[in-house]
Amino acid sequence: MKKQLLGLVIASLTTPALADGEVNVYSARKEQLIKPLFDKFTAQTGIAVNLVTGKDDALLERLRLEGDNTPADLLMTADAGRLYRAVEMGLTQPVESEVLTKAIPANLRDANNQWFGLTSRARPIFYVKGKVKPEELSTYEDLTDPKWKSRICIRSSDNIYNQSMLGSMMAVNGTEKAQAWANGLVKNFARPPEGGDRDQIKAAAAGQCDIAISNTYYYGQMLAGEDAEDKAAAEKVAIFWPNQADRGTHINISGATVTKTAKNKDNAVKLMEFLVNDESQQWYAEANHEYPVKAGVASGDMLQGWGEFKADSLNLSELGKHNAEAVKIMDKAGWK
């Protein structure tokens, strides 16, 4: 049954045409989050971008099944763990680009140039104003304290963002402490995990919990969007940047990798380089509320309004390395 469902997902994706002057992109990022930049790229270079969107795992499986016959030149995902998995599956190739290595910090790209981060986002603590004082908060580790019992909302363990967050803790604190943290966090859940990141913020605003864990760009989208209910919910919470006295707040990336048998490799590299130029990085910040990976680019009024914070400098390849064990830890902790 699982294979049949996967086949339906793969069959539902439209295969782009192969042609000179084009680049074929498989993207787990939603079209509205990247197409405006692709249109600008085409206008400036004359290179057409053929875009296929889908879920991360479905796209990885499609690449595996297509093998050398895949039309895809570039794979884009919303998490470093998926990029690491693509490398492990043998679906990628290294890229030599001075533009990319200069623009992107070493911890936000693969050491062997197999993948590159294009935007950054943080996964901090959101607290309900009036119910939690910021001075009560400190670290992710502190969320296991009994004072937070029945007060925390977070999405399920099958979410890659949570898996990566736990993976980062494993890299720093070790497996035993990571297990203890997961055990303690589960004890403090206000409700069984459900919904996406926005739903955690909404639940906190509705009084179901006092603390929520979410990616910053979802919060930004809620504040800037046209949905009045989303905006009202987001306005009831504030950001707390955890672990500022030690490793820093957990971050992740959206990123890209050139496929192993890319037919339009040069165009794929040109597109990645375009996505880290100053104009593109600033667009990401202002339109998508994601942090630029390139130093010196303004992050936009909203992101600046959240204040500066110390980000975890861990190389994000560690998120992929610890993913499988992180899932086991979550299962053992009863994190549904």
Side-chain angles (χ1 to χ4, degrees), residues 68-299:
D68 292 349
N69 296 320
T70 183
D73 303 305
L74 195 68
L75 172 69
M76 298 182 70
T77 78
D79 175 87
R82 301 292 194 208
L83 291 167
Y84 180 89
R85 189 174 299 174
V87 175
E88 290 294 289
M89 292 172 67
L91 302 175
T92 69
Q93 65 172 294
V95 166
E96 296 300 324
S97 167
E98 188 175 350
V99 171
L100 294 174
T101 54
K102 278 189 174 183
I104 305 168
N107 67 307
L108 303 184
R109 52 184 165 86
D110 178 64
N112 297 313
N113 297 327
Q114 294 276 356
W115 57 261
F116 299 85
L118 301 175
T119 65
S120 172
R121 74 288 299 270
R123 195 164 184 76
I125 297 168
F126 291 85
Y127 64 93
V128 179
K129 301 172 186 175
K131 288 189 175 181
V132 176
K133 296 178 181 179
E135 54 266 30
E136 296 179 80
L137 297 161
S138 58
T139 64
Y140 294 110
E141 288 82 352
D142 179 65
L143 295 179
T144 63
D145 191 291
K147 70 182 178 183
W148 302 118
K149 186 173 178 61
S150 301
R151 300 177 72 185
I152 297 174
C153 283
I154 191 168
R155 65 197 290 180
S156 71
S157 61
D158 65 6
N159 172 248
I160 189 70
Y161 303 143
N162 286 337
Q163 294 169 10
S164 290
M165 181 174 67
L166 182 57
S168 72
M169 297 181 75
M170 292 174 64
V172 175
N173 298 329
T175 300
E176 186 176 336
K177 288 185 178 179
Q179 183 70 67
W181 180 79
N183 295 346
L185 188 72
V186 169
K187 290 179 181 178
N188 289 341
F189 284 178
R191 61 172 190 174
E194 61 179 70
D197 276 17
R198 292 183 185 87
D199 295 306
Q200 311 315 310
I201 293 174
K202 289 180 183 179
Q208 296 181 41
C209 50
D210 298 333
I211 286 174
I213 304 295
S214 174
N215 283 349
T216 45
Y217 75 98
Y218 289 115
Y219 177 59
Q221 289 170 1
M222 291 175 74
L223 288 171
E226 297 180 358
D227 189 309
E229 183 180 339
D230 276 10
K231 186 172 183 179
E235 288 175 343
K236 290 184 178 180
V237 304
I239 294 178
F240 180 83
W241 304 111
N243 296 81
Q244 294 303 282
D246 45 60
R247 69 178 184 277
T249 298
H250 171 63
I251 62 168
N252 208 325
I253 56 161
S254 72
T257 178
V258 175
T259 61
K260 183 178 180 179
T261 57
K263 312 302 189 298
N264 300 293
K265 179 179 179 179
D266 290 346
N267 289 345
V269 174
K270 287 177 183 177
L271 178 55
M272 282 198 294
E273 291 176 344
F274 174 84
L275 293 174
V276 295
N277 70 28
D278 288 4
E279 182 181 358
S280 296
Q281 289 285 291
Q282 190 164 5
W283 182 89
Y284 271 124
E286 294 177 353
N288 289 348
H289 317 296
E290 297 177 86
Y291 288 95
V293 294
K294 186 177 183 180
V297 177
S299 58

Side-chain angles (χ1 to χ4, degrees), residues 315-336:
N315 189 289
L316 296 192
S317 291
E318 294 293 322
L319 308 186
K321 290 178 184 177
H322 294 287
N323 180 264
E325 188 64 29
V327 173
K328 291 179 182 178
I329 285 175
M330 295 164 114
D331 288 345
K332 189 174 180 180
W335 186 335
K336 304 298 183 182

Side-chain angles (χ1 to χ4, degrees), residues 300-317:
D301 291 342
M302 179 180 289
L303 274 65
Q304 290 180 29
W306 298 341
E308 294 185 2
F309 68 96
K310 178 184 177 181
D312 192 344
S313 61
L314 180 75
N315 189 289
L316 296 192
S317 291

